[in-house]
Amino acid sequence: MAYRGPAYGLSAQIANKIAAKRDKQLEAEVLEWIQEILGEALPNGPYEEILKDGVVLCKLMNQLSPGIIKKINTSGGQFKMMENINNFQEAAKKYGVNEIDVFQTVDLWERRNIPQVTQCIMALGRACYIHPEFPGPFLGPKPAEKNEREFTEEQLRAGDTIINLQYGTNKGANQSGLNFGNTRHM
């Protein structure tokens, strides 16, 4: 990891805001869920250190969808470990995680945005609900079913008579204070 030095000004504010979003209890739930899926104990250490090399994430994806990640790099340089993270990201997208929920590699590798990593794993846990072959355990709330509502033509036309607030309002508008016939004095 490259040394970036201390952050000042706007960079420091952004870093502090991202750090404030971390939820230690949610991170513990995520690690517990991963441990249940893998059926093995995770190494001790901070949340981001356990996930940093991508090995645990790749094993998780192979448990959820066997063979989705062909090769897991357990040794080698940082690029090999970052390749694990990239493989996890691609597999998560294939599994059903929306691209907007997937974190960037540097978010985990350089610890830039750990809450985004947690959000991605939570989205992966929710994606498990849409796979009927997956028995559980699940992580996070069950996604809502698509509710295809049917509206009658009369209900659709009723909305045409309502003036949107985006058009503004004429409430309180009057012509008091306007004088017609006065000349403009310069």
Side-chain angles (χ1 to χ4, degrees):
M1 179 168 86
Y3 179 71
R4 297 195 177 273
Y8 297 102
L10 183 61
S11 298
Q13 289 175 356
I14 292 171
N16 290 338
K17 197 174 231 184
I18 289 172
K21 288 182 179 180
R22 287 190 71 171
D23 184 355
K24 297 291 184 186
Q25 182 179 357
L26 185 61
E27 291 174 0
E29 286 177 33
V30 166
L31 288 178
E32 186 179 315
W33 178 72
I34 292 173
Q35 198 165 300
E36 284 183 48
I37 298 291
L38 294 179
E40 62 185 54
L42 294 176
N44 289 331
Y47 176 74
E48 59 273 12
E49 280 298 316
I50 294 171
L51 302 176
K52 182 179 178 180
D53 61 2
V55 173
V56 171
L57 296 174
C58 289
K59 286 180 179 179
L60 173 66
M61 282 309 306
N62 277 338
Q63 242 356 75
L64 295 175
S65 181
I68 196 165
I69 297 177
K70 305 284 187 255
K71 182 181 179 201
I72 300 173
N73 300 310
T74 55
S75 64
Q78 67 181 7
F79 292 107
K80 290 287 186 183
M81 300 301 138
M82 290 172 75
E83 186 179 343
N84 285 342
I85 298 170
N86 284 329
N87 290 339
F88 166 77
Q89 292 166 337
E90 293 304 314
K93 290 176 197 172
K94 288 178 189 172
Y95 195 71
V97 176
N98 288 335
E99 190 162 343
I100 196 163
D101 288 326
V102 177
F103 62 93
Q104 294 180 357
T105 304
V106 293
D107 290 341
L108 178 57
W109 185 255
E110 295 181 3
R111 300 180 191 148
R112 289 215 184 155
N113 196 349
I114 299 300
Q116 183 65 36
V117 175
T118 305
Q119 179 183 338
C120 177
I121 298 171
M122 289 295 292
L124 179 64
R126 287 190 306 273
C128 291
Y129 283 106
I130 62 173
H131 294 277
E133 70 277 359
F134 183 72
F138 297 100
L139 180 65
K142 185 175 183 178
E145 302 284 330
K146 286 201 175 199
N147 188 4
E148 300 293 328
R149 294 181 62 184
E150 297 292 327
F151 294 101
T152 64
E153 192 66 31
E154 181 182 329
Q155 288 172 322
L156 292 173
R157 293 290 157 240
D160 291 344
T161 60
I162 298 172
I163 297 174
N164 232 339
L165 285 178
Q166 291 176 340
Y167 292 120
T169 179
N170 64 350
K171 197 170 215 168
N174 60 32
Q175 291 188 353
S176 67
L178 294 179
N179 296 325
F180 288 104
N182 267 350
T183 60
R184 191 167 163 205
H185 302 288
M186 297 211 165

